[in-house]
Amino acid sequence: MTADIIDGKAFAMGLREMVAQQTSQLKARHGLVPGLTVVIVGEDPASQIYVRNKGKIAAEMGFLSDTIRLAADTGQARLLEVIADLNGDPAVHGILVQLPLPAQIDEGAIILAIDPNKDVDGLHPINAGRLASGQNAMVPCTPLGCSMLLADRFGAGGMIGVRAVMVGRSNLVGKPMAQLLLAEHCTVTIAHSRTRDLPEICRQADILVAAVGRPEMLGADCIKPGAVVIDVGMNRIDAGDGKTRLAGDVDFQAAKEIAGAITPVPGGVGPMTIACLMVNTITAACWAGGIDAAWSK
Ligand code: GUN
């Protein structure tokens, strides 16, 4: 029996429809137009594609969508000025600074400068702290999307006591994902690329989330029969004949013969990340307007 394929693309389309409806309601009832500004520094081709997509989908939602493009040699002081302007602009509810930034800019200093209530990436330490202490937080988009897919799969209360292994410990995915799993009452292990006996630990997981950034690192020996596998990996690898393809952190072909359900790459977590950026922008707009944002949780 092969695993169910978790269709993140279809789920994300549904979520986007909900966000578009919510946007119409915010406009009609409160005169509030959610505003998202994405800032990109430099010409990294992958980042350019991501940013174009974010802007396009934000506009489709009915948001006030803006993209600020800065030259690759922009200094930190200039970027801090741009962020200060956006922090002070009441029409901007969400600010996203695309990462990575050029070497002359300290990423940590930029993240700290963003108003935590406009931090739709959920990267500000205030949001990380709010999440870790069970308060209302802006949650990073990728783990938020993964947790929605899991909630859909397991149903209300369905994750209580379940063993979850998070492979990866980044601020953007691994750490917040572990917090979200803990909030669902999972028994959570955080593993990473240097974990000893990694396959043995992964094989205990009823929920396995992979975000290590190493193509197809987790093979058949890492999957518990029937496990739900969420693959956050987006690795471009050689596919022969001068072509490339996207690969996850999990060996999909091997894992799908063992797992109970698995997200594909592409078409799994990726579309959820952008849809959750839209959800977070609505949440930020609601916070700014003093409107209950519970619908998006
Ligand atoms: N670069 C790759 N993923 C992300 C993300 O989720 N947020 C930001 N700001 N930059 C990224």
Side-chain angles (χ1 to χ4, degrees):
M1 200 182 77
T2 60
D4 296 339
I5 307 302
I6 298 174
D7 189 345
K9 195 171 171 185
F11 198 104
M13 290 310 290
L15 199 54
R16 279 161 54 176
E17 265 172 40
M18 244 172 74
V19 168
Q21 279 173 18
Q22 188 74 8
T23 303
S24 306
Q25 286 178 18
L26 280 175
K27 283 181 189 172
R29 294 187 195 160
H30 302 278
L32 183 62
V33 181
L36 172 66
T37 297
V38 176
V39 182
I40 179 166
V41 185
E43 306 294 334
D44 177 66
S47 291
Q48 294 284 345
I49 293 170
Y50 290 143
V51 163
R52 206 174 311 133
N53 250 334
K54 288 168 185 173
K56 185 175 139 252
I57 295 170
E60 279 171 22
M61 296 299 97
F63 293 175
L64 192 62
S65 167
D66 193 15
T67 303
I68 298 177
R69 296 170 191 280
L70 301 172
D73 62 355
T74 299
Q76 183 164 319
R78 173 69 195 127
L79 182 54
L80 288 171
E81 275 173 16
V82 169
I83 290 170
D85 283 349
L86 296 173
N87 283 343
D89 185 341
V92 175
H93 304 110
I95 302 168
L96 183 141
V97 178
Q98 185 68 21
L99 305 175
L101 289 165
Q104 74 275 12
I105 300 177
D106 173 6
E107 222 162 83
I110 299 306
I111 289 167
L112 267 183
I114 297 171
D115 177 343
N117 291 327
K118 297 190 177 190
D119 170 33
V120 282
D121 254 335
L123 282 173
H124 194 291
I126 293 263
N127 281 314
R130 282 179 185 161
L131 178 62
S133 51
Q135 296 171 36
N136 221 3
M138 201 58 82
V139 178
C141 306
T142 299
L144 182 60
C146 295
S147 72
M148 287 181 186
L149 294 177
L150 286 170
D152 182 57
R153 180 89 200 165
F154 282 86
M159 282 180 264
I160 297 171
V162 163
R163 271 183 186 259
V165 174
M166 174 68 233
V167 187
R169 53 176 158 174
S170 66
N171 290 339
L172 196 58
V173 182
K175 286 177 200 160
M177 188 70 226
Q179 294 295 347
L180 290 169
L181 291 163
L182 201 53
E184 293 294 336
H185 312 285
C186 291
T187 302
V188 182
T189 300
I190 304 179
H192 45 81
S193 57
R194 298 198 202 172
T195 294
R196 266 186 226 159
D197 306 321
L198 182 63
E200 192 185 322
I201 288 171
C202 291
R203 272 201 311 275
Q204 297 180 14
D206 302 303
I207 295 172
L208 180 66
V209 184
V212 267
R214 298 195 182 183
E216 296 170 353
M217 177 183 170
L218 306 183
D221 59 345
C222 292
I223 312 295
K224 178 178 176 176
V228 177
V229 178
I230 305 289
D231 190 351
V232 179
M234 283 257 261
N235 310 288
R236 192 151 283 286
I237 62 169
D238 188 359
D241 292 336
K243 293 192 181 122
T244 63
R245 71 175 174 93
L246 270 185
D249 292 345
V250 176
D251 179 347
F252 180 81
Q253 293 306 329
K256 80 177 188 345
E257 301 302 325
I258 308 168
I262 184 167
T263 57
V265 177
V269 172
M272 290 299 290
T273 297
I274 294 201
C276 284
L277 174 63
M278 306 304 141
V279 170
N280 276 353
T281 304
I282 288 262
T283 302
C286 288
W287 285 2
I291 299 157
D292 184 7
W295 73 277
S296 66
K297 293 290 180 303

